[in-house]
């Protein structure tokens, strides 16, 4: 029996309907979309169909969507491209202390290029205070980048409130929505964002494809230079199979969200939490109780190190909130920013559910985890 997969925030399996969508473009329909013959036109039509599907799921126009190789490239394109294209507006950027490295590291690089970056703190639930954004804005601020939902604890940031502030000051707002797209509604006009990152492998599409929403009129410098693909912003022959896959995955996700999938996943997540509390005890929730991704449960077990727990659970595939480098424990930057103690932080385990998670798996996982927690505590 395969391990119970509870690491959907790390990556998702590819939906079988998505596989069916992409396979013909690996074999029969192999043409270059730039070629002016039937093979090329078929590829071009597939790319534009996929673009329309992504746009429909985000509530924008197809012309506001460019395809990328994934969330990291989308974040880099958004941050670096926007920073340089709008440098005359100012060289100051605002972000949060709990962003993904795909945001934090490009910003560190921009600091080396002469940009100034403010890293806003978060509260104990991992939430950014919109008033802190307001206070941090200066006449030199050109861009704010705040993630939609956190990958470790699932905190859903108040983007609509933040965007009301950035628009008041004429500042652009980017959001890394890699974790939220496909799990909760991510309509760009409701959120008020100017740029938004999508990562395919977080929503049942393959690894190696993503998208970036760029609101019409927002200036972004090209990141990859070459021929004029993707409106001149992202050079390179289009990855037709994976673009088709992402479009299908976005279409499926939008339909499943409307049909109530988030509520179904939330019920399983809360069932897992309740059973862990009942069977193991000493369970502390990390992150907000309500304003959280419906699939994400980050908990610490008192008296237990999360990495040690998972190492003793070969039947569970999950993640911890810390990493071990050269034998030295390193607390997750997210949990550290939230103010967790070392004991609580190193006790953290992230259990993230998904489309294929079943009630039977939840019950078995809870029993296995609780039994091992008790064993460790007794040793």
């Amino acid at each position: 029996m395969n391990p119970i997969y509870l690491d959907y925030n790390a990556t998702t399996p590819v939906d079988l309907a998505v596989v069916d969508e992409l396979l013909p473009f690996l074999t029969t329909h192999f043409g270059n979309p730039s070629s002016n013959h039937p093979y090329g036109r078929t590829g071009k039509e597939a790319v534009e169909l996929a673009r329309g599907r992504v746009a429909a799921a985000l509530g924008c126009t197809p012309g506001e969507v460019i395809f990328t190789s994934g969330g990291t490239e989308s974040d880099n394109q958004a941050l670096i491209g926007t920073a340089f294209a709008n440098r005359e507006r100012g060289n100051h950027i605002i972000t949060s202390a709990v962003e993904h490295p795909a945001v934090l590291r490009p910003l560190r690089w921009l600091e080396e290029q002469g940009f100034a970056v403010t890293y806003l703190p978060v509260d104990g639930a991992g939430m950014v205070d919109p008033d802190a954004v307001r206070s941090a804005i200066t006449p030199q601020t050109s861009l704010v980048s705040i993630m939609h939902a956190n990958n470790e604890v699932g905190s859903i940031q108040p983007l609509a409130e933040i965007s009301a502030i950035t628009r008041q000051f004429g500042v652009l707002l980017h959001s890394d929505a890699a974790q939220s797209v496909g799990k909760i509604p991510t309509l760009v006009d409701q959120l008020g964002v100017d740029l938004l990152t999508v990562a395919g492998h977080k929503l049942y599409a393959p690894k190696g494809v993503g998208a970036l929403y760029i609101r019409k009129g927002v200036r972004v410098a090209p990141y990859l230079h070459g021929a004029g693909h993707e409106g001149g912003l992202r050079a390179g022959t289009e990855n037709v199979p994976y673009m088709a896959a992402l479009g299908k995955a976005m279409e499926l996700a939008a339909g499943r969200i409307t049909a109530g999938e988030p509520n179904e996943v939330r019920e399983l997540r809360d069932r897992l939490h309740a059973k862990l509390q009942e069977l193991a005890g000493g369970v502390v929730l990390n992150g907000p109780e309500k304003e959280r991704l419906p699939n994400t449960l980050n908990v610490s077990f008192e008296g237990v190190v999360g990495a040690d727990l998972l190492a003793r659970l070969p039947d569970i595939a999950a993640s911890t909130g810390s990493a071990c480098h050269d034998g030295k424990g390193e607390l997750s930057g997210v949990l550290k920013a939230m103010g967790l103690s070392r004991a609580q932080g190193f006790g953290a385990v992230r259990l993230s559910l998904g489309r294929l998670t079943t009630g039977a798996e939840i019950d078995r996982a809870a029993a296995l985890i609780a039994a091992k927690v008790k064993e460790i505590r007794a040793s």
Side-chain angles (χ1 to χ4, degrees):
M1 184 179 296
N2 290 328
I4 299 170
Y5 190 72
L6 295 175
D7 207 14
Y8 280 83
N9 282 9
T11 197
T12 58
V14 181
D15 192 291
L16 293 180
V18 173
V19 175
D20 290 340
E21 188 77 17
L22 75 85
L23 283 178
F25 298 100
L26 291 175
T27 54
T28 307
H29 307 306
F30 57 84
N32 186 324
S34 297
S35 298
N36 189 25
H37 50 59
Y39 291 94
R41 287 194 289 273
T42 298
K44 182 67 173 178
E45 290 168 1
V47 170
E48 295 314 314
L49 173 61
R51 197 186 311 279
R53 286 171 165 174
V54 173
L58 297 178
C60 65
T61 65
E64 295 175 303
V65 174
I66 68 167
F67 288 106
T68 68
S69 64
T72 294
E73 185 189 328
S74 293
D75 283 338
N76 275 261
Q77 170 73 78
L79 297 167
I80 297 174
T82 304
F84 279 103
N86 297 275
R87 197 165 193 173
E88 79 285 349
R89 169 71 171 81
N91 71 337
H92 179 230
I93 302 169
I94 298 170
T95 192
S96 82
V98 295
E99 299 296 314
H100 191 275
V103 166
L104 294 177
R105 290 183 181 177
L107 290 178
R108 296 293 188 195
W109 182 83
L110 282 170
E111 287 182 292
E112 295 173 359
Q113 313 311 309
F115 289 84
V117 181
T118 296
Y119 300 88
L120 298 177
V122 295
D123 63 18
M127 304 292 286
V128 174
D129 183 352
D131 286 336
V133 176
R134 182 189 299 276
S135 298
I137 292 176
T138 75
Q140 293 299 310
T141 306
S142 62
L143 177 66
V144 173
S145 181
I146 303 292
M147 63 180 10
H148 190 197
N150 185 262
N151 50 299
E152 291 191 32
V153 299
S155 310
I156 300 174
Q157 302 295 347
L159 284 184
E161 294 179 52
I162 292 172
S163 67
I165 294 168
T166 56
R167 289 189 176 187
Q168 178 184 347
F169 287 91
V171 173
L172 297 174
L173 176 62
H174 163 255
S175 184
D176 180 340
Q179 287 295 340
S180 57
V181 173
K183 297 186 181 86
I184 58 175
T186 50
L187 299 173
V188 294
D189 284 343
Q190 289 184 4
L191 298 175
V193 295
D194 299 294
L195 305 103
L196 183 133
T197 290
V198 177
H201 77 104
K202 306 293 188 182
L203 59 116
Y204 308 92
K207 301 168 185 65
V209 66
L212 176 63
Y213 158 75
I214 306 173
R215 186 176 294 279
K216 184 178 180 180
V218 172
R219 289 183 297 162
V220 180
Y223 185 64
L224 293 177
H225 299 270
H229 305 89
E230 295 301 294
L233 288 177
R234 204 271 182 181
T237 302
E238 295 90 342
N239 186 349
V240 180
Y242 278 23
M243 290 176 180
L246 179 59
K248 185 63 175 180
M250 293 284 284
E251 182 181 66
L252 289 172
R256 287 176 175 270
I257 289 172
T258 301
E261 183 177 82
N263 292 329
E264 296 171 5
V265 175
R266 183 182 292 107
E267 289 177 4
L268 287 176
R269 179 202 69 188
D270 293 344
R271 175 169 160 181
L272 176 60
H273 191 188
K275 285 186 172 293
L276 289 173
Q277 290 174 311
E278 173 191 349
L279 298 174
V283 179
V284 180
L285 176 66
N286 301 317
E289 182 177 348
K290 294 183 179 180
E291 296 302 317
R292 175 170 41 122
L293 288 173
N295 78 315
T296 304
L297 177 65
N298 190 307
V299 290
S300 295
F301 297 92
E302 294 176 3
V304 175
V305 175
D308 184 25
L309 173 63
L310 292 182
R312 301 190 192 192
L313 282 168
D315 292 329
I316 304 291
S319 296
T320 66
S322 59
C324 189
H325 301 288
D326 300 324
K328 296 180 180 180
E330 180 182 331
L331 189 63
S332 153
V334 171
L335 301 183
K336 185 184 297 184
M338 290 167 56
L340 269 64
S341 67
R342 288 183 63 82
Q344 185 176 342
F346 281 110
V349 175
R350 184 188 69 183
L351 306 167
S352 50
L353 290 61
R355 186 173 296 168
L356 303 180
T357 307
T358 67
E361 287 180 319
I362 289 301
D363 294 342
R364 181 166 176 263
L368 289 169
I369 294 170
K372 195 59 63 175
V373 166
K374 290 181 178 179
E375 179 183 306
I376 293 174
R377 286 173 176 165
S379 63

